[in-house]
Amino acid sequence: MKSKTIILGLLAVSGLLTNFSAQKKATKTKINTTKMQESYPFQQYAKVDLTTDISHLTTKEKEVLKLMFKAAKVMDDLFWQQAYGDKTKLLSKLSGEAKDYAVINYGPWDRLNNEKPFVAGVGAKPEGATYYPTNMTKAEFEKADVKDGKSAYSVVKRDAKGKLYAVPYSVEFKTKLQEAANYLNEASTIAEDEGLKKYLKLRAEALMTDNYYPSDLAWMDMKNSNLDLVIGPIENYEDQMFGYKSSFEAYVLVKDVEWSNKLAKFVKYLPELQTNLPVKAEYKKEVPGTDSDLNAYDVVFYAGDCNAAGKTIAINLPNDEKVQLEKGTRRLQLKNAMKAKFDKILVPIATSLIDESQQKNIKFDAFFSNVMFHEVAHGLGIKNTVNGKGSVREALKEANSALEEGKADILGLYMVNQLLQKGELSGSKEDYFVTFLAGIFRSVRFGASSAHGTANMIAFNYFAEKGAFEKSVNGRYKVNVPKMEAAMNGLSELVLTLQGNGDYDGVKKLYAEKGIIPTDLQKDLDKLKTHNIPVDIVFEQGPQMLGLK
């Protein structure tokens, strides 16, 4: 999962949560390049140079890094195919700002405005992107019982007679995947770290076979490399029809050894934190893997799904529940991207909306910890239902993503609170709680089309109902720490119970009741727009930013 970590709607997001089960049918209309928007909201993105110091890397590490960039660019092309289709065909019909905006959004739909088309003649974005036929209904798919149709690594198509069938990614995207695999194999022969060498080789094999389990295990065992590469079909946010299909993406990463050493001590507390979760014992009986680790990285390249509009600032992987239960997960904090969002977005938001008496509580260390423990919290709670409905992901289908992000948000704050009480974190509850509230204002702007946006709408409305904050006459918000602590525990219990029960209808009801932006909050978000506060960031990135040729 990502803190998409980690991820964002235009300021004028719709008041009501999109009904995830509603079937949208794409209208196949020719693009009209003469009647496009007159202007595009580039001001909602702050431009950031994505770079880091690589002077400590060896000559061979720098060669590996160059190959990582090349493999990552292949993932970018593959995600375009998944999200839209023929990238070249679309971009050849656009020019100027329209073309630039399509590049940011990986298609003609505005990801920060609930996927609204910004090119004339383009219909609504299909809920299933290109993973399924655009004229396929949910009912048809479920009735057809397509072999491997629910696989995270297959594309569903129709044959000449209209019958649905599935094609593995390794077949559908064979040419591009072979290109990426070649780069990874070459990097594997150069890599000096044995863990990285093994991972790159196995990941190359995975791209060609759709069997990612061995490479996931190798990635979990990779502890000492200065470089890292997250690559392949990973997250399922783009499939808003069922949430089954994984999207191609890549992060090229350089390890921050100093910050990583600071984080290592927290892993040992995971079993204790799981045991202490504020929910009945049956919903926390699973034991998280103890081979997990926490590390900080500077990210030097985003590609594909993670680069589409809102940018991820932390990663918790692998997503495979089997790997999570066997070995846990790795949590990667993308420190340079996180700092950019804090400086350019969170601080200006807090200046506008947080009570003056609590401005001093907005701190980067608190923001970093809240985001970090969001990722850690993905590994806590429950992965399989308590009543025989299978995994939580299977039981909740397309409704799973937003609830899982909400779980990570609230359990991350719970973990921070627990570690503060143990004296393992510095600062005050007020620092973390106030910074968390400012983070909600940041994330609700992602909109209803984002799992993170929906999750934060639910948290805001639940906190408001429980009196976790007050709004003064001057329109600023002030956190009530004791009430927010109580609301944190209550929301944690609610989410974990819904997940453990595989309660699809209950989750949809929660979205309908609390996955909305109240009118008063919408006015505050509109105020941020008038202050020209960015919604997210875009990057100037690539090997040239690191001085690599």
Side-chain angles (χ1 to χ4, degrees):
M1 297 285 177
K2 54 189 179 181
S3 188
K4 183 170 181 176
T5 85
I6 313 280
I7 342 193
L8 291 144
L10 241 195
L11 308 179
V13 290
S14 63
L16 294 175
L17 172 64
T18 298
N19 184 339
F20 286 103
S21 65
Q23 175 67 27
K24 296 179 185 175
K25 294 185 178 179
T27 303
K28 292 188 176 181
T29 309
K30 289 184 178 180
I31 295 173
N32 185 339
T33 58
T34 64
K35 294 182 179 180
M36 294 182 292
Q37 289 183 194
E38 293 183 1
S39 62
Y40 299 86
F42 289 101
Q43 72 278 1
Q44 65 186 326
Y45 293 101
K47 195 170 184 179
V48 173
D49 287 345
L50 203 56
T51 185
T52 191
D53 179 13
I54 60 169
S55 61
H56 62 291
L57 298 183
T58 67
T59 299
K60 286 188 175 181
E61 284 175 328
K62 291 176 182 177
E63 290 302 312
V64 170
L65 197 55
K66 292 178 187 177
L67 290 164
M68 287 180 171
F69 277 114
K70 292 180 179 180
K73 289 178 180 177
V74 177
M75 297 301 109
D76 209 62
D77 291 337
L78 287 170
F79 180 66
W80 259 102
Q81 291 184 46
Q82 293 179 310
Y84 172 75
D86 191 336
K87 166 187 176 181
T88 303
K89 188 175 181 180
L90 173 67
L91 297 183
S92 68
K93 296 179 180 179
L94 304 177
S95 61
E97 289 190 346
K99 185 174 183 177
D100 293 340
Y101 206 59
V103 169
I104 290 175
N105 286 279
Y106 288 78
W109 301 286
D110 193 336
R111 291 173 179 269
L112 300 193
N113 191 14
N114 297 315
E115 305 284 9
K116 180 181 177 182
F118 56 84
V119 173
V122 173
K125 182 176 180 179
E127 276 190 324
T130 68
Y131 304 111
Y132 314 91
T134 55
N135 62 353
M136 185 197 80
T137 65
K138 295 179 73 173
E140 179 190 8
F141 178 79
E142 301 209 335
K143 183 179 179 180
D145 191 24
V146 181
K147 182 182 178 182
D148 297 326
K150 294 182 180 180
S151 167
Y153 312 124
S154 72
V155 178
V156 177
K157 296 188 170 187
R158 290 190 190 278
D159 63 18
K161 296 182 180 180
K163 183 179 179 180
L164 299 176
Y165 68 101
V167 181
Y169 283 2
S170 56
V171 175
E172 179 72 7
F173 306 114
K174 183 177 180 179
T175 302
K176 280 289 185 182
L177 290 174
Q178 184 65 68
E179 181 185 353
N182 290 343
Y183 290 133
L184 297 187
N185 278 322
E186 185 179 352
S188 175
T189 64
I190 300 171
E192 298 168 298
D193 179 82
E194 289 301 317
L196 178 61
K197 182 184 291 288
K198 180 179 179 181
Y199 165 66
L200 291 173
K201 184 175 185 298
L202 289 175
R203 203 63 171 182
E205 292 178 8
L207 292 175
M208 302 308 299
T209 63
D210 300 309
N211 179 15
Y212 288 88
Y213 179 71
S215 60
D216 280 346
L217 292 180
W219 188 70
M220 285 297 301
D221 292 336
M222 192 177 71
K223 305 291 186 182
N224 302 313
S225 175
N226 286 324
L227 302 177
D228 207 334
L229 176 67
V230 175
I231 188 168
I234 297 171
E235 303 290 357
N236 54 12
Y237 303 107
E238 195 72 8
D239 177 4
Q240 292 192 19
M241 179 173 281
F242 291 108
Y244 294 147
K245 307 303 178 183
S246 295
S247 300
F248 288 102
E249 66 182 357
Y251 304 82
V252 180
L253 305 161
V254 178
K255 192 172 186 177
D256 187 321
V257 177
E258 181 181 352
W259 272 71
S260 294
N261 289 338
K262 293 178 183 178
L263 306 181
K265 65 179 181 178
F266 296 121
V267 175
K268 65 182 179 181
Y269 292 113
L270 295 184
E272 178 185 343
L273 291 166
Q274 172 81 356
T275 300
N276 293 339
L277 288 172
V279 69
K280 292 180 181 178
E282 63 183 314
Y283 299 99
K284 56 182 177 181
K285 61 185 178 182
E286 295 174 355
V287 180
T290 56
D291 201 26
S292 305
D293 59 352
L294 301 174
N295 286 290
Y297 290 81
D298 278 344
V299 56
V300 294
F301 198 75
Y302 285 76
D305 186 35
C306 61
N307 193 46
K311 308 303 184 294
T312 300
I313 53 177
I315 308 168
N316 176 60
L317 293 172
N319 284 332
D320 187 332
E321 290 91 347
K322 182 180 177 182
V323 178
Q324 290 182 6
L325 292 173
E326 182 177 343
K327 282 184 173 277
T329 59
R330 288 179 61 198
R331 287 87 175 196
L332 283 58
Q333 315 310 308
L334 311 185
K335 183 167 159 280
N336 55 344
M338 201 181 297
K339 188 65 164 63
K341 289 202 180 191
F342 180 79
D343 290 342
K344 295 180 179 295
I345 302 172
L346 190 76
V347 170
I349 286 174
T351 301
S352 294
L353 297 182
I354 297 297
D355 190 82
E356 291 91 337
S357 66
Q358 293 184 330
Q359 292 283 330
K360 64 183 183 299
N361 299 111
I362 302 296
K363 297 179 179 177
F364 177 68
D365 282 356
F367 179 60
F368 183 92
S369 294
N370 286 342
V371 173
M372 175 177 68
F373 286 109
H374 165 106
E375 296 307 327
V376 175
H378 278 302
L380 296 186
I382 192 164
K383 303 297 178 186
N384 297 294
T385 59
V386 301
N387 49 14
K389 292 184 179 180
S391 71
V392 173
R393 187 193 298 258
E394 291 170 339
L396 298 184
K397 297 184 250 190
E398 88 288 348
N400 177 63
S401 291
L403 193 68
E404 175 62 24
E405 294 307 324
K407 180 202 82 172
D409 281 339
I410 201 64
L411 290 192
L413 188 61
Y414 149 81
M415 294 173 75
V416 163
N417 198 44
Q418 292 276 304
L419 291 168
L420 275 170
Q421 293 174 11
K422 295 174 71 69
E424 292 293 341
L425 287 176
S426 60
S428 66
K429 286 185 182 181
E430 196 168 15
D431 292 342
Y432 292 90
F433 285 13
V434 173
T435 302
F436 186 88
L437 180 60
I440 289 179
F441 295 135
R442 181 180 71 88
S443 294
V444 295
R445 300 167 81 199
F446 300 171
S449 65
S450 159
H452 294 78
T454 300
N456 279 271
M457 293 176 202
I458 292 169
F460 178 87
N461 286 314
Y462 189 93
F463 283 166
E465 183 181 284
K466 302 298 181 181
F469 54 77
E470 303 155 359
K471 191 173 183 182
S472 65
V473 292
N474 66 1
R476 293 174 180 267
Y477 294 81
K478 184 175 182 180
V479 168
N480 182 312
V481 173
K483 289 185 178 181
M484 190 164 181
E485 186 172 15
M488 170 191 72
N489 290 329
L491 184 55
S492 297
E493 181 180 22
L494 172 62
V495 170
L496 289 171
T497 302
L498 287 169
Q499 287 188 320
N501 291 341
D503 188 354
Y504 179 86
D505 291 337
V507 175
K508 297 301 288 292
K509 181 181 178 182
L510 179 67
Y511 290 169
E513 293 178 351
K514 290 190 169 59
I516 61 173
I517 295 184
T519 302
D520 193 44
L521 175 59
Q522 185 60 62
K523 291 178 180 177
D524 293 326
L525 299 180
D526 291 340
K527 184 194 304 182
L528 300 180
K529 183 178 179 180
T530 63
H531 292 173
N532 293 319
I533 297 173
V535 181
D536 208 76
I537 53 181
V538 290
F539 301 118
E540 184 70 30
Q541 60 175 355
Q544 74 281 1
M545 302 301 293
L546 304 180
L548 295 174
K549 297 181 180 179

